[in-house]
Amino acid sequence: MEQNAKTLMVLGTASGVGKSTLVIGLCRLLRRRGLRVAPFKAQNISDNAHLLPDGRRMARSQAIAAAACGLDPEPDMNPVLLIPRHGGCETVVDGAAVPRFDRDACREAARRAYDRLAQRFEAVVAEGAGSPVELNLRTGDIVNMDFALYARCPVLLVADIRRGGAFAALYGTLALLAPEERALVKGLIVNDFYGDAASFGEGRRMLEEVCGVPVLGVVPHLELRLEDEDALPGAATLTRDALAALVPEGMSAEDFQAAQFDLLADELEKSLDMDALMEILEGGTE
């Protein structure tokens, strides 16, 4: 199907490196630049489902990203949701439960959903899951490079420097990609940097030298009040109930959330090379 939307994909070197937050911020930025933009994640594994008015379900993180775009959430933004259950997962496709997980059917459902979004919007910000180079899982992966190759979209690769090992994570991820996948990676982002980002100038130069990919920005550690998708081991989770308690008196939850979206977008505007990012979005994989 002919696709109208310009698509940009955010992949990470691991789970929890900030992909979802960056997608939310990029969605907000593109919306503020006048683009009709939608989020997309082919497959999500989460026990935090968002219930739509018609009873269908999708991942909560894509529903939040939709709000950053000024949109109502819809299953096309997250066509495949796996909800962990005792002894396995419940499979939700296009918002409704199906008897079992069929990888080929889920892949096709995800592609059809993306095609529909790409016909309706000017831009799509897609998100991967975990790491794109878990070698033992590559053949069944429908959410990372399998999707990027289908959409022929440029990829941004993100690492969380606060965890340590960001150089190895970025370089190793690129090294384990197949050549046609590696060619789609157009920029690196160093996330969750404590201190003055200018002090990472030499590190930035080294990364670009060893990876052969430009570093588009160093994003600082941000104290945002956005709902967490899932809890990482040892991490406190910011749930909907916990967030509700943080909303200032006299302010609606929607306005509070919108203010967080704008705070995130403001920080990304300052931290990222937006001219280069927009060129990547417009130029696709060229």
Side-chain angles (χ1 to χ4, degrees):
M1 178 183 291
E2 183 181 353
Q3 299 159 353
N4 296 329
K6 302 289 187 181
T7 300
L8 184 67
M9 188 168 198
V10 178
L11 295 182
T13 57
S15 296
V17 299
K19 295 185 296 294
S20 296
T21 300
L22 288 171
V23 166
I24 290 169
L26 290 171
C27 282
R28 192 67 164 188
L29 275 175
L30 295 178
R31 184 197 178 205
R32 296 200 313 196
R33 288 177 175 237
L35 292 173
R36 291 182 293 107
V37 57
F40 178 79
K41 187 168 184 175
Q43 174 186 294
N44 206 333
I45 302 177
S46 176
D47 57 6
N48 193 7
H50 179 84
L51 184 64
L52 295 164
D54 61 4
R56 291 184 296 172
R57 291 173 291 170
M58 60 184 286
R60 180 69 182 158
S61 58
Q62 277 68 64
I64 295 170
C69 298
L71 301 171
D72 291 328
E74 56 182 276
D76 277 353
M77 298 170 181
N78 171 225
V80 180
L81 172 62
L82 304 180
I83 304 174
R85 303 295 189 199
H86 181 69
C89 283
E90 179 185 6
T91 302
V92 176
V93 178
D94 294 329
V98 297
R100 64 184 181 87
F101 177 76
D102 181 308
R103 182 169 289 108
D104 291 337
C106 286
R107 178 184 286 111
E108 290 308 310
R111 290 177 176 181
R112 288 194 302 269
Y114 166 72
D115 288 340
R116 289 190 291 266
L117 284 181
Q119 285 292 304
R120 295 166 47 209
F121 292 92
E122 296 174 293
V124 173
V125 182
E127 180 183 346
S131 161
V133 290
E134 300 292 352
L135 300 183
N136 58 317
L137 304 177
R138 290 296 300 276
T139 56
D141 185 7
I142 70 171
V143 64
N144 289 305
M145 278 298 177
D146 179 82
F147 169 76
L149 288 168
Y150 173 75
R152 300 305 305 170
C153 63
V155 168
L156 306 181
L157 182 62
V158 183
D160 182 349
I161 196 168
R162 185 164 61 100
R163 296 181 171 201
F167 285 81
L170 289 166
Y171 179 83
T173 299
L174 290 168
L176 290 172
L177 292 173
E180 65 272 20
E181 299 169 336
R182 167 67 180 73
L184 298 179
V185 181
K186 301 300 181 182
L188 309 178
I189 296 176
V190 176
N191 196 29
D192 209 12
F193 189 86
Y194 275 84
D196 182 5
S199 66
F200 192 67
E202 182 66 3
R204 184 172 182 158
R205 183 195 65 76
M206 290 176 173
L207 265 178
E208 292 182 338
E209 182 178 325
V210 299
C211 292
V213 180
V215 176
L216 297 185
V218 179
V219 179
H221 174 75
L222 302 174
E223 294 291 345
L224 295 170
R225 298 294 183 259
L226 291 173
E227 184 181 336
D228 290 322
E229 179 177 20
D230 290 299
L232 290 173
T237 305
L238 195 54
T239 63
R240 271 172 272 187
D241 290 341
L243 269 175
L246 299 175
V247 177
E249 186 176 352
M251 189 178 198
S252 71
E254 292 75 17
D255 287 345
F256 181 71
Q257 185 182 63
Q260 298 300 305
F261 294 154
D262 287 328
L263 173 62
L264 172 58
D266 289 343
E267 289 295 337
L268 293 186
E269 188 101 53
K270 292 186 293 186
S271 304
L272 300 179
D273 184 339
M274 288 304 299
D275 289 340
L277 192 146
M278 293 304 294
E279 285 183 11
I280 290 169
L281 178 66
E282 291 297 327
T285 57
E286 295 178 2

